[in-house]
Amino acid sequence: MDYSYIFRSAKIKTESLYDAGFTTSDVENFTMRPSVSNGDFIADISLSVREQNLTVHLFDSLTGEKYPLFDMPNVHGAFVSSLREDVQKIVEKIKSQCFETHDLKDAYVDFLNARFSALPDFPWPKTPDACVFRCENQKWFALIMKIKYRQIGLTSDEEVFVVNLKAESEIIPELIDRKSIFPAWHMNKKHWITVLLTAATDFDKLCALTEKSHNQIEQKSKRQSRKK
């Protein structure tokens, strides 16, 4: 099962992998084999620094055979769910020990206020985590919201703050890396992108993308005004 989502929410501290129990044959690929479910299973954990992925497979401790149901997301039940909970605890421990975790939301909101004199507007009472930031024409250029990683194609139900920004349609395919920048969630993917507000995102690039989003909304408004 793929747990690479943790690379989208944090920056890895490679030197901490050894203290956490990982071993390696080179400087980019690490492995760990902790026991799960009171030793009945072994979790084969593979972490690639270069590829930024983390995968886990379970093997029966006695037979050495792979337990395939663990890797099937559509398979549920008390037993397999308990195994996934045990593995999730291991993954979260790895994250806390070996990754620098912080989100950019507060710093980003400060940037929006300082650069554009924009304050958050909360137009949806039933969605208190969602807020928009508007240009002088009252058209919004940034939408901050909390979604699940799974909603942008990553395998986790963990929630994360993101921002939707407008971008030039012809360069959107170049911008999307599916690491920190994704096709827009819940908006027109031809004109908008979704950017993670996590440590995995380059803050300077985020600010530059926001400038472009703001400029596009302002320019569109001016063009419409001239037509009138």
Side-chain angles (χ1 to χ4, degrees):
M1 185 170 288
D2 189 357
Y3 291 86
S4 301
Y5 73 89
I6 68 173
F7 282 93
R8 315 298 175 244
S9 61
K11 289 183 178 179
I12 192 169
K13 299 183 291 184
T14 308
E15 68 280 1
S16 300
L17 293 172
Y18 300 101
D19 292 337
F22 279 96
T23 60
T24 183
S25 56
D26 55 51
V27 295
E28 294 183 343
N29 298 290
F30 295 79
T31 58
M32 179 194 291
R33 292 177 59 84
S35 61
V36 177
S37 187
N38 297 318
D40 292 336
F41 292 87
I42 297 295
D44 186 9
I45 303 176
S46 298
L47 184 150
S48 171
V49 176
R50 183 176 183 179
E51 300 298 329
Q52 292 196 342
N53 60 47
L54 177 70
T55 58
V56 182
H57 300 290
L58 285 188
F59 292 85
D60 189 289
S61 297
L62 293 178
T63 65
E65 294 181 353
K66 186 177 180 180
Y67 184 66
L69 297 182
F70 176 78
D71 296 319
M72 299 178 183
N74 294 329
V75 174
H76 302 286
F79 182 66
V80 71
S81 295
S82 69
L83 291 177
R84 288 178 183 146
E85 288 177 5
D86 288 346
V87 170
Q88 186 66 44
K89 290 177 183 178
I90 295 173
V91 171
E92 291 303 318
K93 185 176 180 180
I94 291 171
K95 182 177 179 180
S96 66
Q97 288 183 291
C98 306
F99 286 79
E100 176 187 348
T101 59
H102 65 272
D103 65 55
L104 302 178
K105 178 177 175 287
D106 291 342
Y108 183 58
V109 170
D110 290 342
F111 162 76
L112 293 170
N113 186 13
R115 177 65 183 86
F116 306 106
S117 298
L119 295 174
D121 177 17
F122 298 86
W124 303 290
K126 293 183 179 180
T127 314
D129 291 318
C131 59
V132 299
F133 294 80
R134 303 180 186 275
C135 298
E136 291 184 4
N137 58 22
Q138 294 305 303
K139 301 292 186 181
W140 58 267
F141 64 95
L143 162 61
I144 292 178
M145 54 189 165
K146 183 183 285 186
I147 64 174
K148 294 181 179 181
Y149 281 102
R150 193 176 300 282
Q151 291 171 298
I152 51 175
L154 301 176
T155 55
S156 172
D157 285 324
E158 182 179 344
E159 293 186 324
V160 59
F161 276 106
V162 301
V163 60
N164 276 8
L165 299 171
K166 187 152 192 195
E168 298 175 2
S169 57
E170 59 270 22
I171 67 169
I172 284 179
E174 300 175 14
L175 291 175
I176 292 172
D177 57 15
R178 297 188 184 274
K179 294 181 179 179
S180 61
I181 304 175
F182 295 80
W185 185 77
H186 219 269
M187 291 188 66
N188 190 326
K189 293 176 173 54
K190 292 183 178 180
H191 302 289
W192 294 81
I193 55 176
T194 291
V195 185
L196 298 182
L197 296 180
T198 71
T201 298
D202 183 305
F203 191 73
D204 290 337
K205 185 174 183 178
L206 170 64
C207 294
L209 290 170
T210 305
E211 290 270 5
K212 292 180 179 179
S213 179
H214 182 274
N215 291 342
Q216 282 199 67
I217 299 298
E218 285 282 6
Q219 290 170 6
K220 182 178 179 181
S221 177
K222 290 178 180 177
R223 289 196 299 268
Q224 291 174 339
S225 297
R226 285 196 291 266
K227 289 180 181 180
K228 293 179 181 180

